[in-house]
Amino acid sequence: MRTMPDVSRDEVIARVRRIAGQLRGIEKMLEDGRNCEEIVMQFTAVREAVNSAGAMVLEAELQHCLLDGDPAERPEAVTRTLHTLLKFAR
């Protein structure tokens, strides 16, 4: 896959930093002996945030390679992006 456009990359980096903060929060909750329901809710929020960030990367790839890329390279780009999407969906 090609490199993401700077604007998209910056937004994904910001999301990844927020996710890292959420994970540090979960670590603190575990250390503090917080209730399981609260911890699981935070894990759910992290999972959703990770899925959202991954979807942003895939969207940028689709936009960049498939719509803006070289038409001669599209069949290969479609195949590559499809394989990546299938891995992400697992």
Side-chain angles (χ1 to χ4, degrees), residues 2-23:
R2 300 174 196 222
T3 304
M4 291 179 64
D6 289 341
V7 173
S8 298
R9 183 182 316 116
D10 291 344
E11 189 174 348
V12 173
I13 288 169
R15 285 178 182 242
V16 168
R17 288 181 179 149
R18 278 193 297 271
I19 292 165
Q22 287 176 295
L23 288 170

Side-chain angles (χ1 to χ4, degrees), residues 2-85:
R2 300 174 196 222
T3 304
M4 291 179 64
D6 289 341
V7 173
S8 298
R9 183 182 316 116
D10 291 344
E11 189 174 348
V12 173
I13 288 169
R15 285 178 182 242
V16 168
R17 288 181 179 149
R18 278 193 297 271
I19 292 165
Q22 287 176 295
L23 288 170
R24 285 189 299 275
I26 292 171
E27 181 179 18
K28 176 98 171 85
M29 291 173 77
L30 289 163
E31 291 170 349
D32 293 346
R34 297 279 294 270
N35 133 354
C36 287
E37 185 177 347
E38 293 173 355
I39 294 168
V40 170
M41 292 292 284
Q42 290 306 307
F43 273 119
T44 301
V46 167
R47 183 178 58 219
E48 291 301 317
V50 168
N51 286 341
S52 177
M56 288 176 65
V57 172
L58 285 168
E59 182 179 356
E61 174 68 4
L62 288 168
Q63 176 70 35
H64 183 68
C65 288
L66 303 181
L67 300 178
D68 300 336
D70 180 356
E73 295 177 10
R74 281 191 185 135
E76 182 182 322
V78 168
T79 300
R80 195 174 54 246
T81 303
L82 179 59
H83 287 294
T84 302
L85 178 62

